[in-house]
Amino acid sequence: MNSSHDQVTDDLLVFSDESTPDAVDLPKDDTTWKILIVDDDEQVHKVTTLALSHVLVHGRSLEFLHAFTSAEAMEILQTTDDIAALLLDVVMERDDAGLFLIKAIREDLGNQKIRIILRTGQPGYAPELEVIQQYDINDYKMKSELTRTRLITSITTALRSYDQIKRIEESRLGLQQIIRASSELLSIHSLGEYSAALIRQIGSILDTSILSAACLQGRLPLSSESTSLLYSLGDPPFLDVNMNAQGDPEDQNRGVIDYLVPKLEKKRSWFRNDEALLFISGVEDRWHAIYLVLDTVLNDGKQRLLEVFAANLGVGFRNIELVQNLENFAFFDPLTALPNKTRFTEIIDSTLKSSNVNQLVVMLDIDDFSELNDSLGHEHGDALLKAVAERLVSNYTGSFVIARIAGDTFGILGPEGLLRPQMILSLFEEPFLISETPFPIRITLGLVHLQDVETGAEAVKNSNIAMKRAKSSARSRFLYFSSAMKDTIHRRMLISKDLKPALLNKEFILHYQPQIDLTRGQTVGTEALIRWKRPTGEIVPPFHFISVAESSGIINDIGRWVFSEACRQALEWHAMGDPSWKPRMAINVSMRQVHNPNFLPFLSHVIRDYGIEPDLLEIEITESLVMQDAERVIDLLKKIKDLGMRIAIDDFGTGFSSLNYLLRLPIDRLKIDRSFILNLETDRRSKVLTEVVIQLAQQLELGVIAEGVENQQQIELVRSMGCNEVQGFFYSKPLPPDDLITWVRNSHSDINNS
């Protein structure tokens, strides 16, 4: 062994006469390469250290650690980080001690980065090719051939390899951190929180301290005015210290922005000394930027990692914008920027939880807005809605909440003592100026006391019920919600639920009220009136369920049944063979039926299938129905007339705003509303209006019938005015078909006598 060591020593001693290979010209790094020398010969340690003492590799000097046994080497390796290379003797305390140490380093310590240069003075103990194939080593040299030049070359190669492996490992770990960090950041939906979190994640990924940071957002083109500061950390070194300590925070933020925006001119990231600026493009013209001041200069690998992370941050910023946009759509009205129904309901819920129930919820609806919107055009209609919102917001500030609940419906929440209906109504006495044209509007209000509800949804529902009830009332433009309204709604819900089963189970029946010709003393017609006979035997009058059937849409199915049943009954009566008993059949038609596109084909189908004479069928429509959509109704009535049917206007005198429509309607008969007949003997106005209607019918050569006659005096009065057809309880209430036949047979003499 001694001869061997002497030989190695002699070889190494010649190192001093040899030149050192040129160092790679890279920026100087203050850190060193740690080299562990493992050899049982102290002289080898000294000579190796002497030979390599002034060598620079990649601009970094070498730092030597020493071990004389495998055990000492293992202890150093377990307690010291970043040992780059190992100069290892094969033969030490055992002939193969070096080989066992290599195996322990790779398998037990799991250290794959350290580069190993194996040296031996006894080649027989470790054949070169076998060792290189079996063990993960960087180089294998005989001490006899390891001159100073060759040693420096081996060390340089090993350190370069170590540096590459370490960078790859750092990149791999960095990418793993980026994936983890990006995943964690995706759960954050606030720009401020997201900015603070990503700065923390950057520090973790770079494994460095961030001295100061700023996150910006803006729009293109770049300008300080379109840029805002999302988050800042520490004291930016470019700001004046006095201003930073004493100045206005807004001024400080503006100082950060004014400093950084010019550095973003090229719209790309850059690294300079200890500064880093990341530019992140967004959707459309949006952008974000992250400025960092670090405690170190980033190498190329960490710069690349940071740029990869920045690309992921762009996705995160876009996700936050998307979430915020979705939240805006979910909770705010895009036209007026007011809270929507969902948000308004949440606010009421929060108010209820705070026990501040001395509040009022007001539902405000613009009367006839759809017609106004059609006449204005939708663009001007939107402008009107925005103007209404602005007027409400400007008059109800502070503790009030204004929301847009639906198309032309707004909600107000505020102190009960300050939300007085008359004051709200007075706000709309002044017309709105739309495109320099004044537009007056009327509104209707529904109000509910917050102490009378348990949830926001209930408050919105009840105030809406009150508003709709006020709209249907001719006496008031506002109503407070009451429990009676709730009971009514409940009853309507129960009725609505039972209507379809009632139709399927044939619970509907028709009663018929006779129409009398006073001059002939005969029954000349009947009006078919629907009744609902429940399985219990209870008879439900039409005013309890017709409006519900209208709103639910089942009125179309019920209406078809009424027509078919009335035609069937008419044919049955005609088949009785009595030529004097061939009455016309009057059938009421609702608004929903008139607006149903299948209504006219259905009438044609009924006439054809039943083979009934069309002039024996008389369609009754209300005056108010005509006024809701006059042009369309007039066109439809003309087509019904073309089928051969008769047409009567029911409840005449209660709704027409223009006689021009009356002149254009293809009608056969006017029915004087029962409200006029009821007060005929006592009210002069009713008497005058009744006489006017009769005279108008005569002038237009239309038939006229007075409905609702209840006594002989009313009969005489309408007869004296020229009305010869009547209908009412004075003669008969509506009767089932068989009872009507009996009544007709027994009553003609009585009619003549009357």
Side-chain angles (χ1 to χ4, degrees):
M1 292 286 290
N2 290 337
S3 62
S4 171
H5 291 317
D6 292 341
Q7 183 182 354
V8 172
T9 301
D10 292 340
D11 280 338
L12 290 171
L13 287 174
V14 302
F15 290 174
S16 59
D17 297 328
E18 296 182 359
S19 61
T20 304
D22 294 337
V24 180
D25 186 17
L26 291 175
K28 181 70 172 64
D29 192 328
D30 291 336
T31 60
T32 60
W33 300 107
K34 293 178 183 177
I35 309 295
L36 176 60
I37 303 173
V38 184
D39 201 297
D40 59 355
D41 189 334
E42 185 175 356
Q43 188 65 24
V44 172
H45 287 265
K46 291 179 180 180
V47 174
T48 303
T49 303
L50 178 64
L52 300 176
S53 58
H54 298 293
V55 173
L56 295 179
V57 179
H58 288 207
R60 295 161 62 178
S61 60
L62 308 183
E63 176 186 348
F64 297 99
L65 305 173
H66 300 275
F68 295 89
T69 65
S70 297
E72 290 178 2
M74 282 295 287
E75 184 177 353
I76 293 173
L77 288 166
Q78 287 172 330
T79 57
T80 306
D81 294 329
D82 297 331
I83 296 177
L86 177 64
L87 289 168
L88 176 62
D89 189 13
V90 176
V91 180
M92 291 182 290
E93 65 268 29
R94 285 171 29 182
D95 291 344
D96 55 358
L99 299 181
F100 273 95
L101 181 60
I102 296 172
K103 185 175 182 181
I105 290 171
R106 297 306 190 204
E107 295 180 4
D108 298 340
L109 297 183
N111 188 335
Q112 307 300 324
K113 296 194 296 291
I114 189 171
R115 298 294 88 198
I116 300 174
I117 299 174
L118 196 62
R119 302 189 297 180
T120 182
Q122 302 178 44
Y125 287 98
E128 182 175 348
L129 182 59
E130 181 182 335
V131 169
I132 291 176
Q133 289 177 341
Q134 186 173 352
Y135 297 94
D136 179 13
I137 62 174
N138 206 69
D139 204 353
Y140 177 36
K141 297 292 183 184
M142 295 292 297
K143 289 182 180 180
S144 59
E145 66 181 11
L146 193 58
T147 63
R148 183 169 184 269
T149 300
R150 289 175 179 174
L151 179 60
I152 293 174
T153 301
S154 291
I155 284 289
T156 301
T157 302
L159 293 180
R160 184 178 289 126
S161 175
Y162 171 81
D163 189 50
Q164 291 174 346
I165 292 172
K166 187 176 179 182
R167 287 175 183 270
I168 291 171
E169 178 69 11
E170 286 177 347
S171 296
R172 183 182 65 80
L173 294 174
L175 290 172
Q176 288 177 346
Q177 286 181 297
I178 287 173
I179 293 170
R180 176 188 53 76
S182 300
S183 177
E184 291 178 3
L185 289 170
L186 285 175
S187 64
I188 301 174
H189 297 148
S190 161
L191 279 173
E193 291 179 13
Y194 183 79
S195 301
L198 68 87
I199 295 298
R200 292 194 299 271
Q201 297 287 4
I202 287 174
S204 175
I205 291 170
L206 298 179
D207 192 23
T208 188
S209 296
I210 297 175
L211 303 179
S212 62
C215 291
L216 308 177
Q217 72 171 359
R219 290 181 176 274
L220 297 176
L222 284 165
S223 70
S224 295
E225 290 72 24
S226 65
T227 301
S228 58
L229 182 66
L230 296 175
Y231 174 80
S232 64
L233 172 70
D235 296 330
F238 48 81
L239 286 181
D240 181 77
V241 175
N242 292 327
M243 184 197 78
N244 195 29
Q246 303 172 5
D248 189 299
E250 286 295 325
D251 293 337
Q252 177 177 328
N253 293 349
R254 187 50 53 188
V256 174
I257 291 169
D258 290 341
Y259 173 79
L260 292 177
V261 166
K263 298 180 180 300
L264 293 165
E265 265 185 21
K266 294 183 179 179
K267 297 188 282 295
R268 67 178 182 223
S269 302
W270 56 257
F271 301 90
R272 185 177 305 141
N273 299 325
D274 60 349
E275 290 181 287
L277 184 64
L278 305 175
F279 183 83
I280 304 166
S281 297
V283 178
E284 298 175 348
D285 60 348
R286 296 181 182 86
W287 59 266
H288 294 86
I290 303 166
Y291 172 74
L292 304 166
V293 179
L294 309 166
D295 68 347
T296 186
V297 177
L298 299 180
N299 60 34
D300 291 343
K302 290 192 174 181
Q303 288 181 16
R304 287 193 295 272
L305 275 180
L306 203 51
E307 288 179 324
V308 170
F309 188 46
N312 284 285
L313 296 180
V315 174
F317 279 117
R318 288 192 288 274
N319 286 342
I320 290 176
E321 288 179 0
L322 176 61
V323 169
Q324 289 181 335
N325 287 337
L326 290 174
E327 287 181 349
N328 283 334
F329 280 117
F331 296 108
F332 292 91
D333 169 50
L335 177 65
T336 63
L338 293 175
N340 61 12
K341 180 181 178 181
T342 301
R343 182 64 184 137
F344 189 58
T345 303
E346 287 184 348
I347 293 171
I348 297 173
D349 281 328
S350 297
T351 305
L352 286 166
K353 290 176 183 176
S354 69
S355 300
N356 184 19
V357 294
N358 192 26
Q359 303 266 319
L360 200 66
V361 175
V362 181
M363 201 63 59
L364 181 155
D365 190 81
I366 303 173
D367 294 345
D368 304 317
F369 178 76
S370 58
E371 291 81 358
L372 192 63
N373 196 35
D374 290 340
S375 62
L376 286 173
H378 292 286
E379 181 180 347
H380 290 125
D382 287 347
L384 177 59
L385 290 171
K386 291 173 71 174
V388 169
E390 289 167 4
R391 187 171 293 185
L392 288 172
V393 170
S394 63
N395 282 276
Y396 290 101
T397 58
S399 58
F400 294 92
V401 177
I402 311 296
R404 186 182 178 201
I405 306 301
D408 61 331
T409 304
F410 294 84
I412 310 173
L413 170 68
E416 192 172 322
L418 301 177
L419 276 178
R420 302 192 179 279
Q422 293 296 354
M423 292 182 64
I424 301 173
L425 293 170
S426 68
L427 294 178
F428 295 89
E429 291 176 355
E430 181 182 348
F432 290 87
L433 198 64
I434 307 297
S435 296
E436 300 183 356
T437 302
F439 283 95
I441 67 171
R442 280 172 54 93
I443 62 169
T444 302
L445 307 177
L447 307 96
V448 64
H449 297 282
L450 214 56
Q451 60 262 34
D452 294 337
V453 298
E454 295 182 358
T455 66
E458 185 182 4
V460 171
K461 180 185 71 174
N462 290 355
S463 57
N464 195 55
I465 290 171
M467 180 268 292
K468 289 184 176 180
R469 185 63 60 88
K471 273 187 177 291
S472 63
S473 170
R475 297 187 298 274
S476 179
R477 292 173 60 193
F478 69 88
L479 282 177
Y480 285 86
F481 179 79
S482 67
S483 57
M485 294 180 189
K486 190 173 184 178
D487 293 341
T488 300
I489 294 296
H490 182 66
R491 284 196 301 270
R492 289 175 64 88
M493 286 179 59
L494 292 177
I495 288 173
S496 177
K497 177 177 67 71
D498 292 343
L499 278 175
K500 190 166 186 179
L503 184 61
L504 294 174
N505 296 331
K506 300 181 180 180
E507 295 177 17
F508 292 111
I509 58 175
L510 290 184
H511 285 188
Y512 302 88
Q513 188 171 35
Q515 297 173 333
I516 312 301
D517 185 330
L518 296 176
T519 58
R520 292 186 288 167
Q522 290 182 345
T523 301
V524 292
T526 62
E527 180 179 1
L529 298 166
I530 191 171
R531 300 289 185 266
W532 180 4
K533 187 176 182 181
R534 287 185 174 273
T536 59
E538 174 195 5
I539 300 294
V540 183
F543 63 83
H544 279 173
F545 66 86
I546 288 297
S547 61
V548 180
E550 284 268 1
S551 61
S552 66
I554 198 174
I555 191 67
N556 289 312
D557 295 328
I558 293 175
R560 284 192 289 270
W561 176 84
V562 169
F563 251 99
S564 299
E565 177 62 18
C567 289
R568 186 200 64 76
Q569 185 61 63
L571 288 177
E572 183 178 311
W573 284 336
H574 299 168
M576 293 171 61
D578 185 350
S580 65
W581 177 235
K582 201 174 184 181
R584 64 175 179 262
M585 180 69 73
I587 304 170
N588 292 281
V589 172
S590 72
M591 177 185 67
R592 280 284 187 120
Q593 290 173 271
V594 167
H595 288 127
N596 189 322
N598 296 320
F599 180 59
L600 192 67
F602 170 74
L603 294 182
S604 178
H605 170 80
V606 166
I607 293 171
R608 183 179 66 253
D609 283 8
Y610 282 91
I612 194 170
E613 299 174 33
D615 66 342
L616 291 177
L617 299 176
E618 185 171 81
I619 302 293
E620 289 192 6
I621 62 171
T622 62
E623 192 176 357
S624 57
L625 188 152
V626 174
M627 293 308 300
Q628 287 180 16
D629 193 354
E631 297 300 329
R632 181 176 178 180
V633 172
I634 289 171
D635 181 63
L636 176 66
L637 295 182
K638 287 179 179 177
K639 292 175 180 177
I640 291 175
K641 282 290 290 183
D642 290 342
L643 293 176
M645 294 182 176
R646 298 170 181 265
I647 298 172
I649 300 295
D650 198 9
D651 303 332
F652 188 77
T654 60
F656 266 111
S657 58
S658 173
L659 289 177
N660 178 54
Y661 287 121
L662 181 61
L663 295 174
R664 295 171 57 198
L665 285 169
I667 56 177
D668 300 282
R669 188 182 318 279
L670 299 179
K671 295 189 76 174
I672 303 171
D673 186 63
R674 67 181 66 247
S675 62
F676 297 151
I677 304 301
L678 180 64
N679 302 309
L680 198 58
E681 309 103 291
T682 57
D683 182 41
R684 180 177 173 276
R685 291 172 60 87
S686 294
K687 185 176 181 181
V688 170
L689 285 172
T690 301
E691 194 165 12
V692 167
V693 171
I694 293 171
Q695 291 175 0
L696 179 64
Q698 290 172 344
Q699 292 296 320
L700 296 176
E701 298 182 346
L702 299 174
V704 62
I705 182 171
E707 60 177 344
V709 292
E710 296 184 356
N711 57 54
Q712 185 67 43
Q713 188 176 359
Q714 292 169 352
I715 297 290
E716 296 303 329
L717 283 170
V718 297
R719 195 203 307 258
S720 67
M721 295 175 188
C723 175
N724 293 318
E725 284 195 20
V726 295
Q727 173 183 345
F729 279 21
F730 178 73
Y731 290 105
S732 174
K733 65 180 182 180
L735 298 170
D738 293 342
D739 292 350
L740 180 66
I741 292 295
T742 302
W743 181 87
V744 169
R745 289 171 176 167
N746 296 334
S747 62
H748 279 181
S749 60
D750 296 333
I751 295 173
N752 289 324
N753 292 334
S754 67

